[in-house]
Amino acid sequence: MSSRYRHGVIHYMGDGVGVRGREEWTLTAAEDGTRTLRAHCRMFDTDIERDVVHTASAGFRPLRSFVSHRVGGAFLGEGWFVFGEDTLESELLLRDEGRVSQRVPLAGPPPFFVPHAVCCDAWIVPAYDLAAGGPQPLTGGFRSSPRPNGATGPYADELGDLTATLVGEETITVPAGTFPTRHFLLTSDGGAEEHLWTSTDGDWLLIRLRSDRLSSSYELVELRDGG
């Protein structure tokens, strides 16, 4: 039996300006439940380009992640991150700093990693306890850059003040179709809010993301299943 395959495209829609970026991703789900997202992201207005390969366990905890950045066609940096039970290790090649190694002690396996491909943002919320509901701090997660557009590094940075709230289950329509979703409110970075709609089919796909801070909406415009 071969891995299950899905392919999607996300458009970055700026308020009043239309499409300001595009992300094409593929998902492979192995027989053991391990999932890998591969994404190519381009932001037309800021000339940022990103390639991401992000692997998570059957429970959606991050295992490995590779992130590579270019800005204006020039290399900015790339890094490989490995998440263990008690240690996060990364090997980085950065334009200004050269070769850098990170070794971060952990209290336990991190619940999520944000490599700044938008499709991967949906894999934050599998750590949310659906049965408990209400606002929940999601502690111990990391991101590859503290900037909202991810245009630094990459470098492992702990995201310590993230709170998720399940708003409810909603059926929404985006260019890729009509989907039953879970709607979450994410609050971080001193109160910045984002609304996230994820699929309910077990893959936790990003269907829609709304960021007032970035004056942008991110919508799934294509989705197809493969072998």
Side-chain angles (χ1 to χ4, degrees), residues 6-222:
R6 307 184 84 176
H7 171 269
V9 177
I10 295 170
H11 278 179
Y12 307 172
M13 305 293 295
D15 293 353
V17 299
V19 179
R20 52 174 291 268
R22 172 186 167 91
E23 178 172 308
E24 187 165 353
W25 58 260
T26 59
L27 168 68
T28 52
E31 294 177 66
D32 62 359
T34 302
R35 289 170 172 81
T36 298
L37 275 169
R38 300 166 181 85
H40 177 256
C41 322
R42 290 193 65 187
M43 283 159 270
F44 308 135
D45 52 353
T46 55
D47 212 13
I48 297 167
E49 188 172 8
R50 180 178 299 111
D51 288 286
V52 171
V53 181
H54 182 62
T55 299
S57 69
F60 291 91
R61 290 189 179 275
L63 298 176
R64 299 170 298 278
S65 200
F66 174 80
V67 183
S68 182
H69 290 167
R70 299 179 71 85
V71 178
F75 176 77
L76 178 63
E78 62 187 24
W80 184 51
F81 304 85
V82 180
F83 305 90
E85 293 292 319
D86 55 12
T87 308
L88 186 166
E89 296 181 274
S90 63
E91 292 295 328
L92 314 168
L93 179 61
L94 307 176
R95 180 186 62 191
D96 299 327
E97 295 87 348
R99 282 288 302 271
V100 177
S101 298
Q102 276 185 291
R103 185 178 176 88
V104 182
L106 303 172
F112 63 85
F113 180 66
V114 179
H116 284 285
V118 174
C119 61
C120 298
D121 287 2
W123 285 5
I124 295 172
V125 288
Y128 183 90
D129 186 343
L130 294 171
Q136 297 178 22
L138 301 183
T139 59
F142 285 80
R143 56 190 171 183
S144 63
S145 171
R147 290 189 184 177
N149 64 3
T152 61
Y155 197 87
D157 177 70
E158 187 169 5
L159 182 52
D161 66 344
L162 178 65
T163 298
T165 305
L166 178 63
V167 178
E169 295 193 353
E170 302 174 5
T171 297
I172 67 170
T173 299
V174 293
T178 299
F179 300 88
T181 67
R182 295 186 181 99
H183 175 190
F184 292 90
L185 170 65
L186 303 179
T187 306
S188 64
D189 293 330
E193 294 185 350
E194 293 183 340
H195 287 264
L196 169 67
W197 288 262
T198 67
S199 69
T200 60
D201 57 10
D203 282 334
W204 294 88
L205 302 180
L206 186 140
I207 306 301
R208 188 173 192 266
L209 175 69
R210 172 63 196 177
S211 173
D212 288 341
R213 174 171 52 172
L214 295 176
S215 300
S216 295
S217 297
Y218 305 81
E219 293 189 337
L220 188 67
V221 299
E222 296 180 24

